[in-house]
Amino acid sequence: MWTIPKPKYKTGLCADGEAEITVNIGGVRVVLFGDVLNRYPESRLAELVNCSTQNYEVISSLCDDFDPGRKEFYFDRDPDAFKCIIDVYYFDEIHIKRGICPICFIKEMEFWKIDQSVLDECCKSYLSEKEEELKEIANKVKVILEDLEVDQCITRTQRCQRFLWKLMEKPGSSLPARIIAIASFLSILVSAVVMCVGTIPELQVTDADGKLVEHPTLEGIETACMLWFTAEYLLRLASSPNKLHFALSFMNIIDFMAIMPFYVVLSLTYLGTTSMMELANVQQAVQALRIMRIARIFKLARHSSGLQTLTYALKRSLKELGLLLMYMGVGIFVFSALAYTMEQSHPETLFRSIPQSFWWAIITMTTVGYGDIYPKTTLGKCNAAKVLETAAKHEVELMELKSGRDARRKSSN
């Protein structure tokens, strides 16, 4: 048996007849003092110490068993988790110790009627990360179970829809599905290569107006790839169990954006009138839509586990990335204004405005420094040195923040 010591900061008078209870947590006997437990009057232990030992109905609702002779309350709970939970009565916070499942610990806190707000900050972040991981695992398990369950579709249409969905979305379900996934992957690569090669002047041809355009062979390959992407998107949309969720999914939005410019340019080029195509705004819109073809490269994330891991890592580091952008934003604004003010005294100053100075601050803080804009006064050069020092300091602070977070996460495991 172990006894929780009284806190040195306890208020009030200590009486010999002070209320205390003995609890047995999974075979471990603990003696607790009433004035300590009453610091959280809504907790289960506080309710237990304040209830009458003659009221067996209330006692049975608060504990698993009760020995009237020894006045001992029995709980079939985890004693290691209870050692962490009891800290809240003394330190007003709880830290999840190593080896305790955070999800199970939350259930223990709910049983003892302790609010999650008393968790230490490092434990809260660790808990949220574990909850996200469990949600992802649960979603994957749900998908696997759906694939393994017996097909209970009633109509032939539903069976065909289910077969088509597995064929287009689950490469591991069958050999044809794997072949389709490989073909889609190769189509993305071919389309990206054609887009890049089509800009080489030696491989372009001259149209009737004397302008360089893509080679007809490359256009044919591009059209074939786009027809494949269109058919793939439409088949996936038609076989999707939840079409609204499918249309609003991030990866599917990228797929749509990769397909849409082709048909818009096709409509403007072949269906538009000659006077319309002669407008400068329409020509610029066509060029902008052609550039949007670079969105196809993001389709690789659907077939590449490495890119999916990268996306997941970026998602997990949003807090650090946001902090970095905030540091850079403040530094860029401050040092750009200072550089503009200090360089105004030089007759050949390159800092014409504060927005123009933003470019200098960005390339200096990122240690690129193209040399197209630079300070010429002594104060301006000192300001530039301060910019480099601040950028290095921010990098060190972010590294320390990341290492401290990792250390807290390891101590919580």
Side-chain angles (χ1 to χ4, degrees), residues 16-210:
D16 295 337
E18 181 182 10
E20 66 179 38
I21 60 172
T22 302
V23 296
N24 190 309
I25 313 297
V28 179
R29 300 180 69 239
V30 187
V31 176
L32 303 172
F33 298 97
D35 60 335
V36 177
L37 299 178
N38 283 324
R39 296 185 64 195
Y40 288 86
E42 296 181 357
S43 64
R44 183 179 292 268
L45 291 175
E47 294 178 0
L48 193 62
V49 77
N50 293 324
C51 74
S52 173
T53 56
Q54 304 299 325
N55 194 341
Y56 294 103
E57 184 178 353
V58 176
I59 292 177
S60 62
S61 65
L62 295 175
C63 64
D64 296 325
D65 199 3
F66 173 62
D67 186 352
R70 304 175 63 178
K71 294 184 178 181
E72 186 172 341
F73 302 91
Y74 293 89
F75 294 90
D76 188 15
R77 312 300 298 186
D78 184 7
D80 294 329
F82 181 77
K83 291 180 181 179
C84 300
I85 290 175
I86 202 66
D87 288 344
V88 71
Y89 295 100
Y90 296 92
F91 310 110
D92 291 324
E93 67 177 9
I94 295 177
H95 185 78
I96 304 176
K97 295 182 179 180
R98 182 180 300 178
I100 300 178
C101 173
I103 306 301
C104 296
F105 189 82
I106 293 301
K107 294 181 179 179
E108 291 288 326
M109 292 183 63
E110 293 175 354
F111 175 80
W112 296 108
K113 299 181 180 181
I114 302 295
D115 191 76
Q116 296 185 21
S117 60
V118 299
L119 276 175
D120 192 19
E121 290 299 327
C122 66
C123 295
K124 289 181 180 178
S125 60
Y126 176 67
L127 177 63
S128 61
E129 292 173 1
K130 287 297 181 182
E131 288 178 343
E132 292 179 1
E133 293 178 3
L134 288 177
K135 287 181 181 178
E136 293 182 0
I137 294 174
N139 291 333
K140 293 180 179 179
V141 171
K142 182 180 178 181
V143 172
I144 294 174
L145 292 177
E146 289 178 354
D147 293 340
L148 295 178
E149 70 181 0
V150 179
D151 194 358
Q152 299 179 354
C153 297
I154 301 174
T155 64
R156 178 178 296 180
T157 303
Q158 291 176 334
R159 286 195 295 268
C160 293
Q161 181 181 1
R162 190 179 187 86
F163 172 77
L164 188 59
W165 177 252
K166 290 182 179 180
L167 191 66
M168 303 302 298
E169 282 289 327
K170 306 183 186 303
S173 61
S174 62
L175 180 60
R178 190 175 296 109
I179 294 175
I180 290 177
I182 295 175
S184 180
F185 181 81
L186 293 177
S187 299
I188 296 170
L189 293 181
V190 170
S191 176
V193 171
V194 168
M195 183 187 69
C196 298
V197 172
T199 59
I200 300 177
E202 290 77 9
L203 298 180
Q204 294 178 338
V205 295
T206 306
D207 61 1
D209 298 331

Side-chain angles (χ1 to χ4, degrees), residues 141-309:
V141 171
K142 182 180 178 181
V143 172
I144 294 174
L145 292 177
E146 289 178 354
D147 293 340
L148 295 178
E149 70 181 0
V150 179
D151 194 358
Q152 299 179 354
C153 297
I154 301 174
T155 64
R156 178 178 296 180
T157 303
Q158 291 176 334
R159 286 195 295 268
C160 293
Q161 181 181 1
R162 190 179 187 86
F163 172 77
L164 188 59
W165 177 252
K166 290 182 179 180
L167 191 66
M168 303 302 298
E169 282 289 327
K170 306 183 186 303
S173 61
S174 62
L175 180 60
R178 190 175 296 109
I179 294 175
I180 290 177
I182 295 175
S184 180
F185 181 81
L186 293 177
S187 299
I188 296 170
L189 293 181
V190 170
S191 176
V193 171
V194 168
M195 183 187 69
C196 298
V197 172
T199 59
I200 300 177
E202 290 77 9
L203 298 180
Q204 294 178 338
V205 295
T206 306
D207 61 1
D209 298 331
K211 297 180 181 180
L212 292 176
V213 295
E214 288 186 3
H215 196 280
T217 303
L218 297 179
E219 287 188 354
I221 298 175
E222 172 77 8
T223 303
C225 292
M226 289 308 306
L227 292 176
W228 171 267
F229 295 149
T230 305
E232 180 189 29
Y233 182 83
L234 293 178
L235 288 175
R236 291 172 53 239
L237 176 62
S239 61
S240 173
N242 189 339
K243 292 178 174 52
L244 180 61
H245 181 268
F246 177 89
L248 297 180
S249 175
F250 177 73
M251 291 304 302
N252 294 326
I253 292 176
I254 290 179
D255 290 345
F256 180 77
M257 291 179 60
I259 297 172
M260 181 267 299
F262 174 79
Y263 293 100
V264 175
V265 172
L266 189 66
S267 301
L268 293 176
T269 304
Y270 296 100
L271 301 181
T273 61
T274 305
S275 58
M276 178 186 296
M277 292 304 301
E278 291 177 354
L279 295 176
N281 293 335
V282 176
Q283 294 178 357
Q284 292 176 359
V286 170
Q287 293 299 325
L289 290 172
R290 288 184 178 272
I291 292 299
M292 286 181 62
R293 293 183 297 176
I294 60 176
R296 299 174 196 168
I297 200 66
F298 295 106
K299 289 169 63 67
L300 289 174
R302 184 183 303 279
H303 309 283
S304 173
S305 59
L307 289 177
Q308 292 175 3
T309 303

